[in-house]
Amino acid sequence: MSLYSMGLSAINTANTKLNTTANNINNADTEGYSRQTVVVTTAGAVNTGNGYVGQGVKVETVSRQNNSYVQNQLASATSSQAEASTYNTEISQIDNLLGSSDEGISPALQDYYSSVQAVASQPSDTASRQEMLGQAENLTAQITSTQNTLNEQYDNVNTQIDSLVDQANGYLEQIAELNEEITAAYASSSGQAPNHLLDERDQMVLNLNEIVGVKTTSNGNSIDVTTANGQVLVSGSTVYPLEAVQSSQDPTRTTVAYTTPVTTTDSATGNKSTDLMAIEFDESKLSGGSLSGLLSFRSESLDETRNDLGLLTAGIALNYNEINNAGYTLDGQAGGDIFSIGEPVVYANSKNQGDAQVTASFSDASKLTGADYDIRYDQASGYTITNLKDGSSNTYSASAGTVELDGLSISLPDPTSQTVASGDSWSLQPTRNGASTLQVTLTDPNGIAASSVADEKTNNSNALKMAQLQTDKSMSQGDGDAATQTLTDIYTQIVNKVGVDAQSSNSSLTVADSLLDQRVSEQQSISGVNLDEENIDLLQFEEQYQAASQLITVANELFDTILALGS
């Protein structure tokens, strides 16, 4: 190889290095960009008879600085941090809602207790009676206001799930498109890596992990994307999108479904067609990302808080109603209800083959658990009712009719007279919406049944029983058959549990933030652009370029000398 050729190859190599360094500097702050370096090798040597003489340099490729293991660790940490952050944001709202002891349900409950005590002290005093009804209205307003806020948060979770699923599907589409582009780029460049496309795909995977935890596996020059439990979302250039769907168990609930191809054959033509069928995820199987954070928060904290607030509401309404019904009013009449509360809600699974309905009502406030229940029918074994809080279950014959369980009367449909198919199920939510339905139905203060004897206006025996509900253990919350908790205990437990959950969430988020910072540092130490290093490289490559140019100058001078000798 001539001196000219060696000088030219050196100039081209130095120029490639300078351009690559310039590109690094330009993209130092570009999200997802990996630092690039020029990989060079010797152009070989020729045997001159007096030894091998080198033929210069050549550029093999431009390589991006990337470690797949570190990149996967970063993706996992990103997913965990997004999950912890989302959970923390949501649980903090409930903690702030319930945390104040100066306003809200707690002081309203104490004021109501005091007004009941006042009626017990002066059973014939109209002002005391009017105050008791006023405090009942105030307590009801505080409970329903709190429940309405929780309901709004529940609706907001549904909305967020819809939005996040749309975002996730957008990233899945981009990953599939990049798979195609990367495969084509490799094919058209003799196997040279399209670094910018690879960086973009890695960033899309990171973005996707912020929404839902995923894993990636290589498939040639493409990657396949699956959820943590192995459900395929992208295979090559094919996307199997997520869907936000109405839960088959609860029509008020938005959940996440995966899609899978299903082939059907037209019976008339024999033609086959393939469509995507949506199948609901078991929410507990989704892990990582904001979606998992929302789903976990809803099932672990929001649902339980609404159930327990409904349990408190049922305890107030049913206990005070029971005592007031046992006494006599100021007019000597039998007492009636002070409060009204909606009956337990039962949802038939939308996939049921039969159309039979299960109904339920409250029968004993002291035995209520605050749990939800799954009811299933099997033709061979009858009905199984499972407490979703502690996992306990009870089995009943198909002809059992109305059964008593945990303070509830549950009417099970008879398969001989109603359409029930094996596998049909129902979701029973006894207290989920109880706080939303609480109302004060007694409007006449004379209707407070303070007396245990008709026409004895100064008798306070029944009012004393109402007053004792402040300290009486009238609730069990599933702690066996014996009532072990007061109404105040129930509310205190609600506040304490949310507080503990919020504190635990803060700790989890701190750990997740720290781990993410560590993973980002590790990744940036490999893939990040250090401007100081780039400046040093810039000076080095400039010197190489100048030295290569000097080779051309020397070659020209030698050529001129040879021409002069010839003349």
Side-chain angles (χ1 to χ4, degrees), residues 475-488:
M475 307 291 289
S476 68
Q477 203 174 15
D479 298 330
D481 292 331
T484 58
Q485 297 174 313
T486 66
L487 294 171
T488 302

Side-chain angles (χ1 to χ4, degrees), residues 135-148 438 440:
Q135 292 301 336
E137 290 283 3
N138 179 52
L139 176 58
T140 298
Q142 293 297 331
I143 289 175
T144 55
S145 174
T146 300
Q147 177 72 8
N148 289 340
L438 181 66
V440 178

Side-chain angles (χ1 to χ4, degrees), residues 374-397:
D374 177 74
I375 304 173
R376 292 185 179 272
Y377 173 71
D378 180 80
Q379 189 173 10
S381 58
Y383 289 97
T384 300
I385 303 179
T386 302
N387 181 318
L388 298 180
K389 192 173 186 178
D390 62 19
S392 61
S393 61
N394 292 272
T395 303
Y396 304 90
S397 69

Side-chain angles (χ1 to χ4, degrees), residues 260-283:
T260 187
V262 175
T263 301
T264 57
T265 303
D266 188 296
S267 58
T269 64
N271 293 333
K272 293 184 177 181
S273 60
T274 301
D275 298 302
L276 293 177
M277 179 176 67
I279 301 174
E280 289 180 43
F281 269 110
D282 177 349
E283 292 183 358

Side-chain angles (χ1 to χ4, degrees), residues 201-332:
R201 187 173 66 184
D202 281 350
Q203 187 59 43
M204 289 302 104
V205 172
L206 281 180
N207 293 346
L208 180 60
N209 267 286
E210 290 184 4
I211 298 174
V212 59
V214 298
K215 295 180 179 180
T216 60
T217 54
S218 296
N219 181 3
N221 293 321
S222 297
I223 60 170
D224 292 342
V225 180
T226 63
T227 59
N229 68 334
Q231 185 58 46
V232 177
L233 301 179
V234 174
S235 179
S237 60
T238 302
V239 175
Y240 300 99
L242 299 172
E243 288 189 17
V245 299
Q246 183 186 84
S247 169
S248 60
Q249 297 177 322
D250 182 348
T252 71
R253 197 178 193 86
T254 299
T255 190
V256 184
Y258 63 89
T259 53
T260 187
V262 175
T263 301
T264 57
T265 303
D266 188 296
S267 58
T269 64
N271 293 333
K272 293 184 177 181
S273 60
T274 301
D275 298 302
L276 293 177
M277 179 176 67
I279 301 174
E280 289 180 43
F281 269 110
D282 177 349
E283 292 183 358
S284 65
K285 303 298 184 185
L286 276 175
S287 63
S290 294
L291 264 180
S292 180
L294 283 175
L295 296 174
S296 297
F297 159 74
R298 183 172 64 183
S299 61
E300 295 172 7
S301 295
L302 184 55
D303 286 349
E304 282 202 25
T305 303
R306 294 168 75 206
N307 283 351
D308 289 344
L309 185 59
L311 175 66
L312 170 67
T313 303
I316 292 170
L318 299 178
N319 279 303
Y320 279 98
N321 284 350
E322 181 181 3
I323 295 175
N324 205 63
N325 274 274
Y328 294 90
T329 69
L330 199 59
D331 299 325

